Amino acid sequence: MKRILLIEDDPEVARLVELELSEAGFGVLWAKGGIEGLTLFRQHRPDLVILDLGLPDLDGAEVARRIRATDETPILVLTAQDGVERKVGLLSDGADDYLVKPFHPAELLARVQVQLRHREGSEVLSVGQLELYPRRRQVFFAGREVRLSPKEFDLLHLLMSRPGRVFPREEIEEKLWGKPLGRESNVLDVHVANLRAKLREAGAYGYLRTVRGLGYALRPGREGDEA
């Protein structure tokens, strides 16, 4: 079942949207404000976000920017403003589509289905039997899902973006944490160890390589082949 996060403070609109989506077979999470919405987003990683702009605690555009800063999940914005400048601004803030209030539930459902089809057709990164779906934030090895934490996923995504390339520690830290963590930090080592263990458990032996003195690389391997 696809999960949709609805961030909407108007109970009547929320009930209308939830009813339409539930009848279409979607699971719906409802947040009444921006802060709650961001929390539910991090906890549940929905397949799509429906976001109202007029939230009481945090501007909807800011919610969209925060989601888009770390994730490519489709965002469908609900807005009462129909001006061209506002629409351009919404797309600049990270929205994938928008719907002007009042709207017909059938149109909302159609737009949701379009965005989900786009997401399903998004780029897949593959190395050997390891597959990573960036927009869905899912990883599979030999057809079986590998459950990763957000940082483990980001680390694997980075390494799979250039298979075989050795990424220096400093570059990885810069991309994942926004700055080098320093020689005394073992944060990256912990995430590498956890990711390697999960890949090994899934059968992906030797995929995550440590190149001593240089950094880390991702390439196909076999059991007993890990560095």
Side-chain angles (χ1 to χ4, degrees):
M1 178 185 292
K2 298 292 185 184
R3 287 186 298 188
I4 295 176
L5 172 59
L6 170 62
I7 308 177
E8 168 64 68
D9 66 316
D10 186 328
E12 291 187 8
V13 174
R15 280 194 292 269
L16 178 69
V17 172
E18 187 172 16
L19 179 62
E20 184 73 19
L21 295 177
S22 297
E23 289 183 348
F26 295 107
V28 182
L29 301 165
W30 177 30
K32 302 177 182 64
I35 299 300
E36 182 186 4
L38 290 171
T39 299
L40 289 178
F41 180 85
R42 289 190 294 268
Q43 291 175 343
H44 298 279
R45 293 292 175 181
D47 297 284
L48 182 140
V49 176
I50 298 177
L51 173 64
D52 179 39
L53 288 186
L55 299 173
D57 57 344
L58 188 64
D59 182 68
E62 177 61 22
V63 174
R65 285 192 291 269
R66 293 190 189 186
I67 291 175
R68 187 57 72 238
T70 59
D71 198 280
E72 298 178 11
T73 299
I75 300 173
L76 172 59
V77 166
L78 305 180
T79 176
Q81 303 179 35
D82 197 21
V84 174
E85 290 185 4
R86 187 51 168 160
K87 293 176 181 178
V88 171
L90 292 175
L91 298 175
S92 299
D93 288 332
D96 294 275
D97 197 2
Y98 55 84
L99 195 57
V100 178
K101 296 180 178 180
F103 54 85
H104 194 285
E107 183 180 3
L108 172 70
L109 179 60
R111 289 176 183 262
V112 165
Q113 291 170 331
V114 166
Q115 289 303 320
L116 289 175
R117 282 198 298 271
H118 287 171
R119 188 183 191 194
E120 290 294 334
S122 62
E123 179 186 10
V124 179
L125 301 182
S126 61
V127 177
Q129 296 185 77
L130 192 61
E131 295 182 327
L132 183 146
Y133 294 76
R135 298 201 70 161
R136 288 159 48 185
R137 292 187 69 84
Q138 287 182 296
V139 175
F140 295 86
F141 182 77
R144 296 179 59 188
E145 185 172 5
V146 183
R147 301 278 185 177
L148 303 178
S149 72
K151 270 293 188 285
E152 291 162 2
F153 180 91
D154 293 339
L155 172 59
L156 183 61
H157 188 187
L158 175 63
L159 298 177
M160 288 185 69
S161 68
R162 297 283 298 277
R165 183 200 163 190
V166 179
F167 285 82
R169 292 179 60 94
E170 294 78 9
E171 181 179 350
I172 296 174
E173 292 170 350
E174 183 73 38
K175 290 184 180 298
L176 267 62
W177 287 277
K179 62 180 180 180
L181 300 179
R183 293 179 178 272
E184 69 284 353
S185 173
N186 71 337
V187 172
L188 176 58
D189 304 270
V190 171
H191 285 291
V192 167
N194 291 339
L195 175 58
R196 177 176 282 133
K198 290 180 179 181
L199 291 177
R200 187 188 299 121
E201 183 179 357
Y205 295 95
Y207 274 64
L208 178 52
R209 310 294 184 87
T210 300
V211 183
R212 303 193 184 282
L214 295 177
Y216 302 97
L218 199 291
R219 55 183 181 267
R222 61 183 183 277
E223 188 168 0
D225 190 32
E226 278 183 323

PDB file of all heavy atoms in Angstrom, residues 97-117:
ATOM      1  N   ASP A  97       3.973  19.656  -8.121  1.00  0.00           N
ATOM      2  CA  ASP A  97       2.710  20.038  -8.734  1.00  0.00           C
ATOM      3  C   ASP A  97       1.914  20.844  -7.708  1.00  0.00           C
ATOM      4  O   ASP A  97       2.268  20.874  -6.525  1.00  0.00           O
ATOM      5  CB  ASP A  97       1.921  18.795  -9.157  1.00  0.00           C
ATOM      6  CG  ASP A  97       0.818  19.110 -10.164  1.00  0.00           C
ATOM      7  OD1 ASP A  97       0.690  20.291 -10.561  1.00  0.00           O
ATOM      8  OD2 ASP A  97       0.087  18.176 -10.546  1.00  0.00           O
ATOM      9  N   TYR A  98       0.852  21.504  -8.158  1.00  0.00           N
ATOM     10  CA  TYR A  98       0.021  22.288  -7.245  1.00  0.00           C
ATOM     11  C   TYR A  98      -1.434  22.182  -7.690  1.00  0.00           C
ATOM     12  O   TYR A  98      -1.744  21.901  -8.848  1.00  0.00           O
ATOM     13  CB  TYR A  98       0.463  23.752  -7.196  1.00  0.00           C
ATOM     14  CG  TYR A  98       0.506  24.411  -8.555  1.00  0.00           C
ATOM     15  CD1 TYR A  98      -0.644  24.958  -9.127  1.00  0.00           C
ATOM     16  CD2 TYR A  98       1.687  24.473  -9.278  1.00  0.00           C
ATOM     17  CE1 TYR A  98      -0.615  25.545 -10.377  1.00  0.00           C
ATOM     18  CE2 TYR A  98       1.730  25.049 -10.534  1.00  0.00           C
ATOM     19  CZ  TYR A  98       0.582  25.584 -11.078  1.00  0.00           C
ATOM     20  OH  TYR A  98       0.617  26.150 -12.321  1.00  0.00           O
ATOM     21  N   LEU A  99      -2.317  22.411  -6.736  1.00  0.00           N
ATOM     22  CA  LEU A  99      -3.745  22.357  -6.999  1.00  0.00           C
ATOM     23  C   LEU A  99      -4.380  23.534  -6.271  1.00  0.00           C
ATOM     24  O   LEU A  99      -4.139  23.732  -5.079  1.00  0.00           O
ATOM     25  CB  LEU A  99      -4.325  21.030  -6.495  1.00  0.00           C
ATOM     26  CG  LEU A  99      -5.711  20.618  -6.966  1.00  0.00           C
ATOM     27  CD1 LEU A  99      -5.768  20.561  -8.492  1.00  0.00           C
ATOM     28  CD2 LEU A  99      -6.066  19.246  -6.389  1.00  0.00           C
ATOM     29  N   VAL A 100      -5.169  24.324  -6.998  1.00  0.00           N
ATOM     30  CA  VAL A 100      -5.767  25.530  -6.428  1.00  0.00           C
ATOM     31  C   VAL A 100      -7.096  25.190  -5.762  1.00  0.00           C
ATOM     32  O   VAL A 100      -7.937  24.494  -6.341  1.00  0.00           O
ATOM     33  CB  VAL A 100      -5.967  26.602  -7.522  1.00  0.00           C
ATOM     34  CG1 VAL A 100      -6.646  27.835  -6.933  1.00  0.00           C
ATOM     35  CG2 VAL A 100      -4.630  26.978  -8.145  1.00  0.00           C
ATOM     36  N   LYS A 101      -7.269  25.659  -4.531  1.00  0.00           N
ATOM     37  CA  LYS A 101      -8.541  25.488  -3.811  1.00  0.00           C
ATOM     38  C   LYS A 101      -9.572  26.473  -4.342  1.00  0.00           C
ATOM     39  O   LYS A 101      -9.211  27.609  -4.662  1.00  0.00           O
ATOM     40  CB  LYS A 101      -8.331  25.720  -2.319  1.00  0.00           C
ATOM     41  CG  LYS A 101      -7.421  24.722  -1.636  1.00  0.00           C
ATOM     42  CD  LYS A 101      -7.312  25.087  -0.156  1.00  0.00           C
ATOM     43  CE  LYS A 101      -6.457  24.114   0.603  1.00  0.00           C
ATOM     44  NZ  LYS A 101      -6.337  24.462   2.043  1.00  0.00           N
ATOM     45  N   PRO A 102     -10.846  26.094  -4.395  1.00  0.00           N
ATOM     46  CA  PRO A 102     -11.381  24.748  -4.133  1.00  0.00           C
ATOM     47  C   PRO A 102     -11.099  23.817  -5.308  1.00  0.00           C
ATOM     48  O   PRO A 102     -11.038  24.262  -6.456  1.00  0.00           O
ATOM     49  CB  PRO A 102     -12.875  24.997  -3.958  1.00  0.00           C
ATOM     50  CG  PRO A 102     -13.145  26.201  -4.806  1.00  0.00           C
ATOM     51  CD  PRO A 102     -11.915  27.066  -4.704  1.00  0.00           C
ATOM     52  N   PHE A 103     -10.948  22.537  -5.045  1.00  0.00           N
ATOM     53  CA  PHE A 103     -10.628  21.571  -6.092  1.00  0.00           C
ATOM     54  C   PHE A 103     -11.592  20.394  -6.008  1.00  0.00           C
ATOM     55  O   PHE A 103     -12.231  20.142  -4.979  1.00  0.00           O
ATOM     56  CB  PHE A 103      -9.188  21.068  -5.940  1.00  0.00           C
ATOM     57  CG  PHE A 103      -8.892  20.506  -4.572  1.00  0.00           C
ATOM     58  CD1 PHE A 103      -9.191  19.187  -4.255  1.00  0.00           C
ATOM     59  CD2 PHE A 103      -8.314  21.303  -3.594  1.00  0.00           C
ATOM     60  CE1 PHE A 103      -8.930  18.672  -2.996  1.00  0.00           C
ATOM     61  CE2 PHE A 103      -8.039  20.794  -2.331  1.00  0.00           C
ATOM     62  CZ  PHE A 103      -8.351  19.473  -2.031  1.00  0.00           C
ATOM     63  N   HIS A 104     -11.684  19.653  -7.110  1.00  0.00           N
ATOM     64  CA  HIS A 104     -12.529  18.464  -7.135  1.00  0.00           C
ATOM     65  C   HIS A 104     -11.692  17.268  -6.687  1.00  0.00           C
ATOM     66  O   HIS A 104     -10.549  17.102  -7.135  1.00  0.00           O
ATOM     67  CB  HIS A 104     -13.075  18.222  -8.547  1.00  0.00           C
ATOM     68  CG  HIS A 104     -14.195  17.233  -8.589  1.00  0.00           C
ATOM     69  ND1 HIS A 104     -13.997  15.877  -8.459  1.00  0.00           N
ATOM     70  CD2 HIS A 104     -15.544  17.402  -8.716  1.00  0.00           C
ATOM     71  CE1 HIS A 104     -15.150  15.247  -8.525  1.00  0.00           C
ATOM     72  NE2 HIS A 104     -16.107  16.145  -8.676  1.00  0.00           N
ATOM     73  N   PRO A 105     -12.220  16.430  -5.814  1.00  0.00           N
ATOM     74  CA  PRO A 105     -11.449  15.276  -5.337  1.00  0.00           C
ATOM     75  C   PRO A 105     -10.908  14.389  -6.457  1.00  0.00           C
ATOM     76  O   PRO A 105      -9.816  13.835  -6.336  1.00  0.00           O
ATOM     77  CB  PRO A 105     -12.468  14.511  -4.475  1.00  0.00           C
ATOM     78  CG  PRO A 105     -13.426  15.554  -4.017  1.00  0.00           C
ATOM     79  CD  PRO A 105     -13.527  16.532  -5.159  1.00  0.00           C
ATOM     80  N   ALA A 106     -11.653  14.265  -7.542  1.00  0.00           N
ATOM     81  CA  ALA A 106     -11.203  13.417  -8.657  1.00  0.00           C
ATOM     82  C   ALA A 106      -9.936  13.982  -9.293  1.00  0.00           C
ATOM     83  O   ALA A 106      -9.047  13.238  -9.713  1.00  0.00           O
ATOM     84  CB  ALA A 106     -12.310  13.290  -9.698  1.00  0.00           C
ATOM     85  N   GLU A 107      -9.853  15.326  -9.359  1.00  0.00           N
ATOM     86  CA  GLU A 107      -8.652  15.935  -9.924  1.00  0.00           C
ATOM     87  C   GLU A 107      -7.456  15.720  -8.995  1.00  0.00           C
ATOM     88  O   GLU A 107      -6.343  15.448  -9.446  1.00  0.00           O
ATOM     89  CB  GLU A 107      -8.849  17.434 -10.160  1.00  0.00           C
ATOM     90  CG  GLU A 107      -7.630  18.082 -10.810  1.00  0.00           C
ATOM     91  CD  GLU A 107      -7.792  19.569 -11.062  1.00  0.00           C
ATOM     92  OE1 GLU A 107      -8.835  20.126 -10.683  1.00  0.00           O
ATOM     93  OE2 GLU A 107      -6.856  20.170 -11.638  1.00  0.00           O
ATOM     94  N   LEU A 108      -7.690  15.842  -7.695  1.00  0.00           N
ATOM     95  CA  LEU A 108      -6.620  15.573  -6.733  1.00  0.00           C
ATOM     96  C   LEU A 108      -6.103  14.154  -6.900  1.00  0.00           C
ATOM     97  O   LEU A 108      -4.888  13.931  -6.976  1.00  0.00           O
ATOM     98  CB  LEU A 108      -7.140  15.773  -5.312  1.00  0.00           C
ATOM     99  CG  LEU A 108      -6.182  15.335  -4.185  1.00  0.00           C
ATOM    100  CD1 LEU A 108      -4.993  16.273  -4.102  1.00  0.00           C
ATOM    101  CD2 LEU A 108      -6.909  15.268  -2.858  1.00  0.00           C
ATOM    102  N   LEU A 109      -6.998  13.183  -6.978  1.00  0.00           N
ATOM    103  CA  LEU A 109      -6.592  11.790  -7.129  1.00  0.00           C
ATOM    104  C   LEU A 109      -5.805  11.581  -8.415  1.00  0.00           C
ATOM    105  O   LEU A 109      -4.789  10.873  -8.427  1.00  0.00           O
ATOM    106  CB  LEU A 109      -7.829  10.886  -7.111  1.00  0.00           C
ATOM    107  CG  LEU A 109      -7.574   9.387  -7.289  1.00  0.00           C
ATOM    108  CD1 LEU A 109      -6.676   8.859  -6.189  1.00  0.00           C
ATOM    109  CD2 LEU A 109      -8.906   8.633  -7.300  1.00  0.00           C
ATOM    110  N   ALA A 110      -6.245  12.216  -9.496  1.00  0.00           N
ATOM    111  CA  ALA A 110      -5.543  12.077 -10.774  1.00  0.00           C
ATOM    112  C   ALA A 110      -4.117  12.617 -10.678  1.00  0.00           C
ATOM    113  O   ALA A 110      -3.174  12.001 -11.184  1.00  0.00           O
ATOM    114  CB  ALA A 110      -6.310  12.806 -11.873  1.00  0.00           C
ATOM    115  N   ARG A 111      -3.959  13.760 -10.031  1.00  0.00           N
ATOM    116  CA  ARG A 111      -2.619  14.353  -9.903  1.00  0.00           C
ATOM    117  C   ARG A 111      -1.717  13.500  -9.004  1.00  0.00           C
ATOM    118  O   ARG A 111      -0.514  13.385  -9.252  1.00  0.00           O
ATOM    119  CB  ARG A 111      -2.732  15.778  -9.374  1.00  0.00           C
ATOM    120  CG  ARG A 111      -3.311  16.745 -10.400  1.00  0.00           C
ATOM    121  CD  ARG A 111      -3.512  18.131  -9.810  1.00  0.00           C
ATOM    122  NE  ARG A 111      -4.127  19.051 -10.752  1.00  0.00           N
ATOM    123  CZ  ARG A 111      -3.443  19.926 -11.488  1.00  0.00           C
ATOM    124  NH1 ARG A 111      -2.141  19.989 -11.402  1.00  0.00           N
ATOM    125  NH2 ARG A 111      -4.085  20.733 -12.322  1.00  0.00           N
ATOM    126  N   VAL A 112      -2.293  12.926  -7.955  1.00  0.00           N
ATOM    127  CA  VAL A 112      -1.529  12.027  -7.088  1.00  0.00           C
ATOM    128  C   VAL A 112      -1.022  10.829  -7.893  1.00  0.00           C
ATOM    129  O   VAL A 112       0.149  10.449  -7.801  1.00  0.00           O
ATOM    130  CB  VAL A 112      -2.398  11.547  -5.905  1.00  0.00           C
ATOM    131  CG1 VAL A 112      -1.766  10.337  -5.213  1.00  0.00           C
ATOM    132  CG2 VAL A 112      -2.591  12.680  -4.907  1.00  0.00           C
ATOM    133  N   GLN A 113      -1.901  10.236  -8.684  1.00  0.00           N
ATOM    134  CA  GLN A 113      -1.520   9.062  -9.453  1.00  0.00           C
ATOM    135  C   GLN A 113      -0.445   9.388 -10.492  1.00  0.00           C
ATOM    136  O   GLN A 113       0.471   8.580 -10.727  1.00  0.00           O
ATOM    137  CB  GLN A 113      -2.760   8.464 -10.124  1.00  0.00           C
ATOM    138  CG  GLN A 113      -3.725   7.842  -9.122  1.00  0.00           C
ATOM    139  CD  GLN A 113      -5.054   7.461  -9.724  1.00  0.00           C
ATOM    140  OE1 GLN A 113      -5.511   8.076 -10.701  1.00  0.00           O
ATOM    141  NE2 GLN A 113      -5.725   6.467  -9.142  1.00  0.00           N
ATOM    142  N   VAL A 114      -0.508  10.574 -11.092  1.00  0.00           N
ATOM    143  CA  VAL A 114       0.520  10.990 -12.054  1.00  0.00           C
ATOM    144  C   VAL A 114       1.880  11.093 -11.373  1.00  0.00           C
ATOM    145  O   VAL A 114       2.895  10.605 -11.890  1.00  0.00           O
ATOM    146  CB  VAL A 114       0.133  12.339 -12.702  1.00  0.00           C
ATOM    147  CG1 VAL A 114       1.336  12.936 -13.437  1.00  0.00           C
ATOM    148  CG2 VAL A 114      -1.014  12.156 -13.670  1.00  0.00           C
ATOM    149  N   GLN A 115       1.915  11.730 -10.207  1.00  0.00           N
ATOM    150  CA  GLN A 115       3.182  11.883  -9.497  1.00  0.00           C
ATOM    151  C   GLN A 115       3.763  10.540  -9.069  1.00  0.00           C
ATOM    152  O   GLN A 115       4.981  10.326  -9.144  1.00  0.00           O
ATOM    153  CB  GLN A 115       2.986  12.794  -8.286  1.00  0.00           C
ATOM    154  CG  GLN A 115       2.752  14.250  -8.627  1.00  0.00           C
ATOM    155  CD  GLN A 115       3.866  14.852  -9.454  1.00  0.00           C
ATOM    156  OE1 GLN A 115       5.047  14.583  -9.219  1.00  0.00           O
ATOM    157  NE2 GLN A 115       3.503  15.663 -10.430  1.00  0.00           N
ATOM    158  N   LEU A 116       2.919   9.631  -8.640  1.00  0.00           N
ATOM    159  CA  LEU A 116       3.408   8.316  -8.231  1.00  0.00           C
ATOM    160  C   LEU A 116       3.928   7.521  -9.425  1.00  0.00           C
ATOM    161  O   LEU A 116       4.917   6.790  -9.304  1.00  0.00           O
ATOM    162  CB  LEU A 116       2.292   7.542  -7.520  1.00  0.00           C
ATOM    163  CG  LEU A 116       1.924   8.077  -6.133  1.00  0.00           C
ATOM    164  CD1 LEU A 116       0.722   7.322  -5.576  1.00  0.00           C
ATOM    165  CD2 LEU A 116       3.101   7.983  -5.176  1.00  0.00           C
ATOM    166  N   ARG A 117       3.296   7.684 -10.593  1.00  0.00           N
ATOM    167  CA  ARG A 117       3.812   7.011 -11.792  1.00  0.00           C
ATOM    168  C   ARG A 117       5.171   7.566 -12.169  1.00  0.00           C
ATOM    169  O   ARG A 117       6.076   6.825 -12.557  1.00  0.00           O
ATOM    170  CB  ARG A 117       2.830   7.172 -12.956  1.00  0.00           C
ATOM    171  CG  ARG A 117       1.619   6.245 -12.872  1.00  0.00           C
ATOM    172  CD  ARG A 117       0.929   6.120 -14.223  1.00  0.00           C
ATOM    173  NE  ARG A 117       0.413   7.391 -14.697  1.00  0.00           N
ATOM    174  CZ  ARG A 117      -0.798   7.845 -14.420  1.00  0.00           C
ATOM    175  NH1 ARG A 117      -1.617   7.141 -13.653  1.00  0.00           N
ATOM    176  NH2 ARG A 117      -1.212   9.007 -14.899  1.00  0.00           N
TER     177      ARG A 117
END
